Amino acid sequence: MDYRAYIAGRLHIEGMSAEEIAAAIAVPPDPAMGDYALPCFKFAKIFRKSPALIAEALRDAFVCDGVIGEVSAVNGYLNFKVCRAGLARDVLARIGAEGARYGSSEEGRGKTVCLDYSSVNIAKPFHIGHLSTTVIGGALYRIYAFLGYRSVGINHLGDYGTQFGKLISAYKRWGKREEVERGGIHAINDLYVRFNEEATEEMEAEAREYFRLIESGDKEANDLFEWFKSLTLAYVQTIYDRLHIKFDSYAGERFYTDKMAPVVEALCEKGLLKESNGARIVDLEPYGMPPCLILRSDGASLYATRDLAAAIYRKQTYDFYKCLYVVAYQQNLHFKQVFKVLELMGYEWAKDLVHVAYGMVSLEDGAMSTRKGKVVWLEDVLSRCVEKARAVLEEKNPALENKDAVAETVGVGAVVFGALCNNKIKDITFSYDKALNFDGETSVYLQYTCARAASVLAKAREAGISFTDVPAGEPCAQEFELLKSLADFPAVVHEAGEKYEPSLISRYALDCAKLFNKFYLECKIMQAEPDVRAFRLAVTRAALTTLTNALTLLGIGVPEKM
Ligand code: ARG
C-alpha cells in the first residue's frame, strides 16, 4: 500500500493534484506524532490562513477508515496514524501472495531499457575498476526487469584499436601458443605489458601495420585477434558467473566498423562536420564543450564515432525507452558530447540517453595502480574476500555445513555490496575487514539476518506449527515498525529505478534488517502464545521474503544457514 498516495487521494486541496500532495507528505521524526505528516506552511499563501487553521480545517474534513486510523492537527502539521491492524493484514497478505515477486510491478510493460555496462576491454585485465560498472549495471538490469521493463544488457566490448596491433606484434616476438592457451588473459596481458615496456619506434610501426591488417581483413591477423578475444571472454565469463551477471548482447566497438560511414555521411549532410587540422570534428563550442572528434586526419574513427553509431543502432534495433550507460564519471565529457551530437543530428530520442556515472573504488591498502601491469585483478579481490569470509565463518560457526559454498556467497556478496551500498557517485575505499563485519552496515549482516529468520521458520516447521492463517491483531510497536518498512519496499524499488540508484535498495535493506533484529530480540517468537506466535512467524516470513528480494535485486546470494 502506498500510504502517501492513499492519503493524498482523500485530501482535497484546491489547486493541487494528488501527486503534488503525495510528494509533500513526509515522515515525522518521532513516530509518536504520526506515521505520516503533511506540513501546511506552503498553503498559507494560497488560502490566506495560518498553517494551524489550514491543518485544522483539513483534519475536520478527513474521514478516517480502516487504512488511516487517526488524524490530528498539530502546529501547522496534519499528522496521520495508519490503522495498524489494517496495515499488518494488508502487507502480510500481499507479501504472502506475491512471494519472490513482492516489490515488482508492471509499470514498465511494453518499454525497453538498454543498459550498457561492464563493457570490458579485450586482452586487458578485468580489474577492480570494472567492479562498479558491472554490479551497478547488473543491479539496474534486474531492477528494471522487476519493474516490468524489458531489460537489454549490452557489453560494449573494447575490441577496437591499435592495442591489438601491439598485441599481435608482441605475440609474434615472444609468445608461444601453448603458454597463451594455458595462461589465458594473464599471458596475454603479460605480452602487452612487455610490449609497452620495450617498445621501440620500429615495433610501434610494426604494431600499426598489424592493426591495419586486422582492419583490412587479413586472415592471420584476424584469427589471432579472435583468439585473444575468445580467451578474454571465456575468462570474464567466469567472473560474471560468480557475480550473477548476464548480457543479452556482446556487440562491441568493432561491431560498428561498417556502421560508422553512414553516421559520418549524415553528419556531413546536416552540415555538422567541420574540418580542423585535417581531422573531422563536430564543433560544440556554442555548448561550452570541446569539439567532438569524428575522424582523425588519417581517416581513422574514434571512440565517440563508434558510440554515435552504437546509439543509432540500439534505437533501431531495440526501440528503447531509455538507454543507460553505466560508465565512470571520468567519461562525463565524452557522453555529454556524444549525446549533444545526436541531438544536433535531430534525433529527438537523444534525451532518452543517460550516462549513469559512478565513483572510483579503491582498496584500503591503496593498491590500485593501472600502470605497467600492477593492476588489482577483480578475480584476486573476490578470491581474497572469499578466503577471509571462510575464516570468519570458521570462527563464528565451526559446525556450519557447506562452508565453501557459503563462503563464496558471503565473500562475493561483500565485494558486490561494497560497490552498491553507497550513493554511486561517491568514491569508495573497500576494506575486507569492514565488509565482512557481522555487525556493520554490510551484506554479511543482511545475510546473517536472513539466516536468522530462516532458522526461526525452520524450527517452527519442524515443530509442526502452522502460520498460514494469521489472526489479525493489533501489532506491537516493534512489529508495526517492521511491517511499515516492509510495506515501503515496492516504492523503494521504483525509486531505485527512477534514480538509477541501486544503493537505495541497499540502504533500505539495512534499515529493514535493523528493524527485524529489533523485533527478533525484543519480541519472543517461539515462546509466545499460539496466536501471537503465528502472527510473529508470519511477520518473520514476510521480512525474510522482502530482504531476500532486495538482496537478489542487488545480485547478492542468501545462504540458508550461516
Ligand atoms: N570499454 C570502455 C572503458 O573501459 C567503456 C565503454 C563504455 N560504453 C560505451 N558505450 N562507451 O573505458
Side-chain angles (χ1 to χ4, degrees):
M1 156 83 59
D2 182 342
Y3 283 95
R4 285 188 175 84
Y6 187 85
I7 294 169
R10 302 173 68 84
L11 280 172
H12 304 287
I13 303 175
E14 226 181 87
M16 276 186 88
S17 69
E19 286 79 36
E20 285 168 326
I21 301 176
I25 294 176
V27 174
D30 176 6
M33 299 174 59
D35 301 304
Y36 295 96
L38 178 71
C40 297
F41 308 96
K42 273 208 294 200
F43 317 132
K45 254 203 208 129
I46 316 177
F47 296 111
R48 305 213 190 130
K49 267 204 269 183
S50 76
L53 284 175
I54 297 169
E56 277 161 27
L58 288 171
R59 176 200 60 200
D60 293 343
F62 195 90
V63 184
C64 288
D65 56 11
V67 178
I68 299 300
E70 206 184 305
V71 63
S72 59
V74 182
N75 299 333
Y77 284 91
L78 191 60
N79 294 332
F80 301 91
K81 280 198 177 153
V82 308
C83 170
R84 297 184 167 208
L87 177 134
R89 213 182 314 111
D90 276 3
V91 69
L92 290 179
R94 183 159 172 208
I95 299 175
E98 296 182 20
R101 301 287 310 156
Y102 178 61
S104 69
S105 80
E106 290 291 321
E107 65 176 82
R109 191 191 269 276
K111 294 182 188 147
T112 297
V113 173
C114 289
L115 300 106
D116 177 324
Y117 55 103
S118 200
S119 300
V120 284
N121 299 321
I122 296 302
K124 292 256 186 79
F126 193 38
H127 58 76
I128 185 164
H130 298 112
L131 173 66
S132 297
T133 170
T134 306
V135 302
I136 293 173
L140 290 174
Y141 181 96
R142 283 180 291 264
I143 291 168
Y144 280 106
F146 209 51
L147 292 172
Y149 294 87
R150 173 170 73 128
S151 290
V152 178
I154 303 171
N155 201 325
H156 187 76
L157 300 175
D159 54 2
Y160 192 102
T162 46
Q163 72 267 31
F164 299 105
K166 293 185 186 176
L167 190 58
I168 291 178
S169 170
Y171 176 71
K172 292 223 147 200
R173 271 165 203 274
W174 311 302
K176 296 207 181 57
R177 191 152 194 111
E178 321 74 67
E179 266 173 33
V180 172
E181 210 60 85
R182 204 172 343 105
I185 182 92
H186 297 276
I188 297 175
N189 184 51
D190 288 346
L191 285 170
Y192 184 69
V193 169
R194 180 163 173 196
F195 184 95
N196 283 329
E197 278 168 358
E198 299 183 17
T200 58
E201 278 293 304
E202 183 200 339
M203 281 163 68
E204 296 280 3
E206 185 184 286
R208 277 196 293 279
E209 176 57 16
Y210 278 123
F211 176 60
R212 200 191 59 75
L213 284 174
I214 302 180
E215 290 299 281
S216 63
D218 174 79
K219 175 150 175 24
E220 192 203 3
N222 274 284
D223 285 351
L224 281 173
F225 169 77
E226 288 300 334
W227 180 45
F228 296 141
K229 178 165 164 176
S230 67
L231 287 173
T232 309
L233 288 183
Y235 172 79
V236 295
Q237 190 57 48
T238 61
I239 311 246
Y240 291 150
D241 288 345
R242 295 181 81 178
L243 297 173
H244 312 292
I245 296 293
K246 274 196 333 199
F247 293 96
D248 302 289
S249 160
Y250 282 85
E253 294 187 42
R254 236 178 119 64
F255 177 77
Y256 299 100
T257 306
D258 61 354
K259 298 175 181 59
M260 289 183 280
V263 178
V264 177
E265 253 164 57
L267 283 168
C268 200
E269 264 166 34
K270 294 180 181 168
L272 290 165
L273 213 57
K274 298 225 166 86
E275 214 229 86
S276 164
N277 298 325
R280 308 278 145 170
I281 61 154
V282 175
D283 179 19
L284 296 178
E285 209 187 318
Y287 312 98
M289 286 184 254
C292 184
L293 218 54
I294 304 293
L295 294 175
R296 284 205 311 242
S297 52
D298 63 1
S301 66
L302 287 111
Y303 182 50
T305 328
R306 293 185 286 280
D307 259 329
L308 293 171
I312 295 167
Y313 174 83
R314 288 175 192 171
K315 184 66 193 177
Q316 282 166 354
T317 309
Y318 305 110
D319 191 23
F320 54 72
Y321 159 73
K322 270 183 190 169
C323 177
L324 315 185
Y325 297 80
V326 186
V327 185
Y329 63 66
Q330 281 85 349
Q331 295 194 28
N332 277 356
L333 177 62
H334 166 74
F335 285 108
K336 268 172 83 179
Q337 291 177 308
V338 167
F339 298 172
K340 192 66 184 179
V341 171
L342 289 163
E343 182 195 316
L344 293 173
M345 290 176 83
Y347 293 117
E348 58 79 33
W349 48 263
K351 64 174 183 355
D352 305 325
L353 305 169
V354 183
H355 176 205
V356 179
Y358 58 83
M360 288 261 292
V361 179
S362 48
L363 289 179
E364 198 170 46
D365 41 35
M368 209 213 127
S369 144
T370 41
R371 280 165 297 122
K372 301 224 172 138
K374 273 197 223 118
V375 295
V376 180
W377 293 68
L378 184 54
E379 173 194 13
D380 295 335
V381 176
L382 292 176
S383 302
R384 184 141 168 231
C385 202
V386 168
E387 206 179 286
K388 286 186 177 251
R390 200 176 189 298
V392 175
L393 289 168
E394 192 70 62
E395 192 193 307
K396 290 246 171 202
N397 186 357
L400 182 66
E401 303 151 36
N402 295 327
K403 232 174 263 163
D404 288 330
V406 178
E408 171 75 14
T409 307
V410 169
V412 171
V415 176
V416 172
F417 198 72
L420 294 181
C421 63
N422 289 307
N423 187 315
K424 63 187 182 303
I425 201 68
K426 274 198 193 158
D427 287 338
I428 42 185
T429 308
F430 182 78
S431 145
Y432 292 100
D433 294 333
K434 282 192 194 131
L436 290 172
N437 181 349
F438 271 65
D439 303 316
E441 299 203 317
T442 59
S443 51
V444 192
Y445 170 72
L446 296 173
Q447 289 166 325
Y448 186 69
T449 304
C450 288
R452 184 175 248 181
S455 121
V456 177
L457 298 176
K459 270 189 208 129
R461 281 194 200 96
E462 263 166 43
I465 299 169
S466 151
F467 47 93
T468 38
D469 276 329
V470 183
E474 178 86 1
C476 69
Q478 292 89 333
E479 291 163 345
F480 179 67
E481 288 305 314
L482 173 58
L483 287 165
K484 205 160 71 148
S485 160
L486 298 182
D488 281 340
F489 182 57
V492 173
V493 179
H494 165 82
E495 200 185 344
E498 197 172 67
K499 296 191 171 149
Y500 321 112
E501 190 60 90
S503 71
L504 292 173
I505 294 180
S506 314
R507 304 316 306 180
Y508 166 80
L510 290 169
D511 290 342
C512 178
K514 259 181 227 147
L515 292 170
F516 173 78
N517 284 314
K518 192 168 156 56
F519 155 74
Y520 174 87
L521 295 171
E522 295 175 9
C523 304
K524 292 191 194 77
I525 302 178
M526 291 300 277
Q527 285 81 29
E529 293 297 309
D531 274 3
V532 177
R533 181 180 63 192
F535 180 72
R536 291 187 176 163
L537 286 168
V539 172
T540 303
R541 188 181 46 189
L544 177 59
T545 301
T546 308
L547 280 173
T548 303
N549 293 359
L551 284 168
T552 306
L553 286 176
L554 298 175
I556 296 172
V558 182
E560 244 172 80
K561 292 185 182 162
M562 258 174 85

